[in-house]
Amino acid sequence: MRTSPDTGRHKEWLALAAAGVTVVSWASAFVSIRSAGSAYSPGALALGRLLAGTLVLAAISVVRRTGWPPRAAWPGIACSGLLWFGAYMVVLNWGEREVDAGTAAMVVNIGPILIALLSSRLLGEGLPRQLLAGMTVSFAGAVVVGVSISDSGGASVLGVLLCLLAAVCYAAGAVSQKPALRHTGALQVTTFGCLIGTVACLPFAGTLVTEAAHAPLSATLNMLYLGVFPTALAFTTWAFALARTTAGRMAATTYVVPALVVLMSWLVLDEVPGPLTLAGGALCLAGVAVSRRRSRAERPTPTESAGTVGNEESAETGDDAAERGARVT
């Protein structure tokens, strides 16, 4: 079955809109983590966030009757659940206690580069010149933002290593989602990945209960916000968009986050950015714009475009059928 090029462009815009929801939500997480992290330890904060996200996702899954993912999707779901939902959140929370925010931002932003390299090596997605050029510009912007907001003497070797480990967990977990999305939908991948991450963080349950009894209401509300929006919503829209583009391009899109963090800190926390910070944010945005462009070699002719859209429609129809089958079981 063939569809018009307009339908293909509509689906591409849907994926781009989903990616936009993701980066805005993830950017807002930095503001909430700053509040919740003052009252909750790294493991307890991760568990509280994941519990809230799992409850929301489970409720939506029950209403939609999504059922269990097919067996072929479980390796990717399990890997992303353990590495991205579990280890990444704990390690990042810990690392940000050992280094200043600027250093953490610089080190963790190695993650999108690792995603592009891993997806090229393991998924055969390739490394287009536009993507490499855009990621280089964006990473330079992230470094500029990091340098501009770093506190002198605020970093430690342990903190840098923890942030580097967080970047590796983030990259490996994100790349492992792509094969799972070939067999099931974004909601199932996110729901069960979040559930696995929650189970992995259960050893922090006692600490969470103790700290919740003494934490201010604002910190607890921020922890719940982290679970509902940057986790349940943003990870689902990420998976939705990832199923419709390459992991490398999705990773490059997340370089919008540093620029949005600067803007949100300005609006919400009244932290006026300096000229260097604004320049770094502009570089991040420029790099994302470059990475989203397609080279001439990648642009299909009108005939090829119609055929490609038809093929994609057939593949998506197959995915929908598989998801309907999973719902029945």
Side-chain angles (χ1 to χ4, degrees):
M1 178 181 178
R2 289 189 177 183
T3 57
S4 66
D6 289 339
T7 303
R9 284 193 291 269
H10 176 67
K11 291 179 179 178
E12 185 175 341
W13 277 108
L14 279 178
L16 188 59
V21 172
T22 297
V23 297
V24 171
S25 297
W26 284 353
S28 71
F30 286 88
V31 178
S32 293
I33 288 174
R34 187 173 302 181
S35 172
S38 62
Y40 290 96
S41 58
L45 177 57
L47 177 58
R49 173 179 178 176
L50 289 168
L51 277 172
T54 299
L55 289 174
V56 171
L57 290 166
I60 296 172
S61 297
V62 169
V63 171
R64 296 194 60 185
R65 299 180 180 178
T66 56
W68 292 84
R71 184 179 300 177
W74 275 105
I77 292 174
C79 187
S80 65
L82 290 171
L83 292 177
W84 198 4
F85 288 90
Y88 167 76
M89 291 191 183
V90 175
V91 173
L92 181 62
N93 291 342
W94 186 9
E96 288 192 355
R97 288 193 165 200
E98 301 292 329
V99 300
D100 59 86
T103 302
M106 285 187 287
V107 178
V108 173
N109 271 300
I110 295 174
I113 298 175
L114 295 177
I115 290 176
L117 295 175
L118 287 174
S119 62
S120 174
R121 179 73 174 177
L122 301 178
L123 305 179
E125 292 184 351
L127 286 171
R129 290 182 180 178
Q130 299 279 37
L131 177 61
L132 283 174
M135 294 188 84
T136 300
V137 173
S138 288
F139 182 69
V143 171
V144 171
V145 171
V147 169
S148 68
I149 64 176
S150 290
D151 299 324
S152 58
S156 70
V157 174
L158 175 61
V160 171
L161 290 177
L162 287 169
C163 290
L164 182 59
L165 178 59
V168 173
C169 291
Y170 159 42
V175 171
S176 67
Q177 276 193 338
K178 185 69 172 180
L181 290 166
R182 296 170 185 164
H183 304 285
T184 189
L187 180 58
Q188 284 183 315
V189 169
T190 308
T191 300
F192 287 92
C194 193
L195 175 61
I196 290 172
T198 302
V199 172
C201 291
L202 282 179
F204 302 107
T207 306
L208 174 61
V209 172
T210 301
E211 293 177 352
H214 302 90
L217 179 60
S218 60
T220 301
L221 290 177
N222 273 287
M223 181 176 66
L224 294 176
Y225 171 83
L226 288 168
V228 176
F229 292 99
T231 304
L233 174 64
F235 275 84
T236 302
T237 51
W238 161 279
F240 176 88
L242 179 61
R244 290 155 177 80
T245 187
T246 65
R249 276 203 170 95
M250 272 301 295
T253 304
T254 63
Y255 275 120
V256 173
V257 170
L260 289 177
V261 170
V262 171
L263 178 61
M264 289 180 179
S265 297
W266 189 357
L267 297 176
V268 178
L269 302 177
D270 199 26
E271 296 178 353
V272 180
L276 190 61
T277 305
L278 291 174
L283 277 176
C284 290
L285 296 177
V288 171
V290 171
S291 69
R292 299 295 301 184
R293 291 179 58 190
R294 292 186 178 183
S295 63
R296 292 182 179 179
E298 292 180 290
R299 295 171 188 166
T301 63
T303 304
E304 291 172 337
S305 178
T308 301
V309 172
N311 292 336
E312 289 178 351
E313 179 69 18
S314 299
E316 289 179 28
T317 302
D319 289 342
D320 292 341
E323 185 170 353
R324 284 195 297 271
R327 292 177 183 175
V328 171
T329 57

